[in-house]
Amino acid sequence: MKISQFLSSLLPATFAVLLIGLTVAGCNPKPNADKANARQTYFAPADTGIQTGGVKIIPIKTPKGTFNVWTKRIGNNPTVKVLILHGGPGAGHEAYEVFESFLPKEGIEFIYYDQLGAGNSDRPIDKSLWVLPRFVDELEQVRVALGLNKDNFYLYGHSWGGILGIEYALKYGQNLRGLIISDMMSSAPAYSRYANEVLAKQMDPKVLAEIKALEAKGDFADPHYMELLLPNYYEKHICRIPASQWPEPLNRGFAKLNQEQYVTMQGPSEFGMAGNANLKNWDRSKDLPKITVPTLVIGATYDTMDPKHMEWMAGQVKNGTFLVCPNGSHFAMYDDQQTYFTGLISFLKKGN
C-alpha cells in the first residue's frame, strides 16, 4: 500500500477520534460551569447598597431599652444557613473563626453572632439582662432580622451556646431545620457533679487542694489560680494543645470575655456552676424528647462535659445523632479537627 493510500485510510478513523474528543471536551465545561456558578452564588451579596463584608448590626429590644448586636455572614446558601451561638457566657465569636477553614469550601453558609454583652455587640452594665429567657427572646429577634426560617435555619450552639440552643428549640422549634448541640450537657447540676466527682478526682490531690483553697477564699484573680488551672485542667479538658501554642482566635476570644456576664450566669469556679450563678439549677433533661428537628450532639472523650451524657442526649431527642471526638476536649474543633468537621459537615449536607 502506498503511503498516500495509507494516510487516506486513516483519515476517517482520525476524524472519528477527533469528533469523540471534541464531544467529550464539550461535556466537560458543564460541571466546571456548575462549580463556577455555585461559587458565584456562595459569594453573592445578601444585601443591596453599601457592602460591609457580611456584617449586619441588629437592634435588640430588651426590658432595659434597645441595644445593638453584631453579626457577620460568611457565604450565601439558600438551603443551609448556620447561626453560631458562642460559648461563655460572654465569650464572643472569635474562637469559631476556625469554621472558615472548613465550611466555605463545602458551600455552607454560616453566621457569626455576638450575643448582647459579648464580642463586638453592646455591653450594657446591668446584671438583670443576663437571664436565659431574655437571651432566647434576643435570639428570636436575630433570626427574624436575618430572614432565617424552617427551610434553611440550622442553629449551632457550643457550650453555653448549647444551653441557649436547647431553650430556643423547645420554644421556637418550628423555625428550625436542624440543631447542633456541641460540648454541652442538658443539665447544669449533672455537669457540676461530673466536674467535681470525675474530672477533679483525676487531678493531683495537692494541686486540687490548692485550687479549692483559692476558690474558697474567692481569690480567682490570684495569678497562681490560673497557673494551677492551665496545665492541670485547661490543657487536659479545654483544649489539649500546650497553652503556649493555643490558636490565636481562641486566645483572642478568652481575652475579650465579659467577666461580669460570665460570673453572673456560670459562676466564678471552673468546676461546674456554683454560688449564685443564674444557670446553676438549669435542667432540660426531661424535655429533650420535645425537640423534634434533626439534632446532632457533639461530645469529646476529654471534654469538661460528660461524653456519655451527651450520647444519651442524642437518644432522647426525636431525631438525634451523636458524634464523639475521641482525641478531643471542650474545643474539639481545634484538638480533634478532622473528626469534628467531617461529622458536622456530613450532618449539614444530609438531605441537601
Side-chain angles (χ1 to χ4, degrees):
M1 180 182 291
K2 294 180 179 179
I3 293 178
S4 59
Q5 292 175 321
F6 176 71
L7 290 174
S8 297
S9 68
L10 283 179
L11 282 175
T14 304
F15 178 75
V17 171
L18 286 172
L19 181 62
I20 293 171
L22 288 171
T23 302
V24 172
C27 291
N28 284 339
K30 190 176 187 303
N32 292 333
D34 288 343
K35 289 180 180 179
N37 289 335
R39 284 195 296 269
Q40 288 177 353
T41 300
Y42 185 75
F43 292 109
D47 302 307
T48 58
I50 297 174
Q51 295 301 300
T52 60
V55 172
K56 185 180 181 70
I57 304 299
I58 301 173
I60 298 297
K61 295 180 180 178
T62 79
K64 297 302 177 72
T66 299
F67 301 98
N68 291 325
V69 298
W70 178 94
T71 68
K72 179 180 173 71
R73 180 181 66 88
I74 306 291
N76 185 3
N77 184 323
T79 61
V80 184
K81 301 176 183 292
V82 186
L83 182 64
I84 297 176
L85 301 179
H86 59 71
H93 76 281
E94 287 82 4
Y96 309 92
E97 290 173 8
V98 62
F99 281 50
E100 295 177 39
S101 295
F102 295 90
L103 268 56
K105 61 186 175 183
E106 301 295 338
I108 296 171
E109 175 183 336
F110 59 103
I111 306 163
Y112 298 128
Y113 155 40
D114 285 345
Q115 300 150 27
L116 187 63
N120 298 322
S121 295
D122 287 349
R123 293 194 175 202
I125 308 298
D126 191 330
K127 292 182 179 181
S128 69
L129 292 169
W130 312 143
V131 291
L132 187 49
R134 195 211 59 76
F135 276 102
V136 174
D137 180 65
E138 174 186 318
L139 175 52
E140 173 61 2
Q141 292 182 61
V142 169
R143 179 198 70 82
V144 172
L146 293 174
L148 307 175
N149 58 60
K150 62 182 179 61
D151 297 320
N152 56 35
F153 180 23
Y154 286 85
L155 185 60
Y156 167 97
H158 175 255
S159 195
W160 138 253
I163 293 178
L164 182 53
I166 289 171
E167 287 293 321
Y168 184 87
L170 289 170
K171 186 172 182 179
Y172 295 108
Q174 72 275 10
N175 298 328
L176 291 173
R177 185 171 183 186
L179 174 68
I180 301 99
I181 305 167
S182 180
D183 308 273
M184 187 64 228
M185 297 164 66
S186 61
S187 166
Y191 156 52
S192 296
R193 285 195 299 272
Y194 184 71
N196 285 284
E197 297 175 11
V198 178
L199 299 185
K201 291 181 179 179
Q202 295 175 6
M203 299 177 70
D204 181 324
K206 293 182 179 179
V207 172
L208 180 61
E210 283 190 78
I211 291 173
K212 291 295 185 182
L214 289 168
E215 290 188 345
K217 291 188 293 183
D219 288 343
F220 298 100
D222 187 328
H224 188 51
Y225 183 64
M226 191 55 66
E227 288 173 1
L228 293 169
L229 282 175
L230 267 177
N232 295 288
Y233 192 76
Y234 277 54
E235 291 182 355
K236 294 181 184 297
H237 304 295
I238 299 294
C239 184
R240 291 174 67 80
I241 299 171
S244 61
Q245 300 173 29
W246 275 11
E248 189 275 342
L250 187 59
N251 285 328
R252 182 158 34 94
F254 280 134
K256 295 173 66 176
L257 179 70
N258 184 332
Q259 288 288 344
E260 181 198 68
Q261 190 181 57
Y262 182 82
V263 172
T264 299
M265 300 184 73
Q266 151 81 27
S269 173
E270 291 301 320
F271 293 94
M273 299 179 186
N276 297 320
N278 289 348
L279 296 172
K280 181 174 66 174
N281 298 316
W282 177 82
D283 191 335
R284 284 294 198 169
S285 300
K286 294 180 180 179
D287 296 317
L288 292 177
K290 297 177 184 177
I291 297 177
T292 60
V293 297
T295 301
L296 174 65
V297 182
I298 306 176
T301 301
Y302 303 99
D303 205 336
T304 54
M305 305 291 165
D306 183 0
K308 292 183 179 178
H309 179 98
M310 290 182 282
E311 183 176 13
W312 172 83
M313 288 168 59
Q316 293 300 299
V317 297
K318 290 294 183 183
N319 189 3
T321 302
F322 179 63
L323 170 66
V324 64
C325 298
N327 299 314
S329 61
H330 198 55
F331 280 90
M333 67 282 289
Y334 285 107
D335 53 24
D336 200 349
Q337 285 191 331
Q338 294 306 316
T339 302
Y340 191 93
F341 283 104
T342 298
L344 175 60
I345 290 167
S346 175
F347 174 78
L348 292 170
K349 285 193 160 187
K350 189 177 181 181
N352 287 290

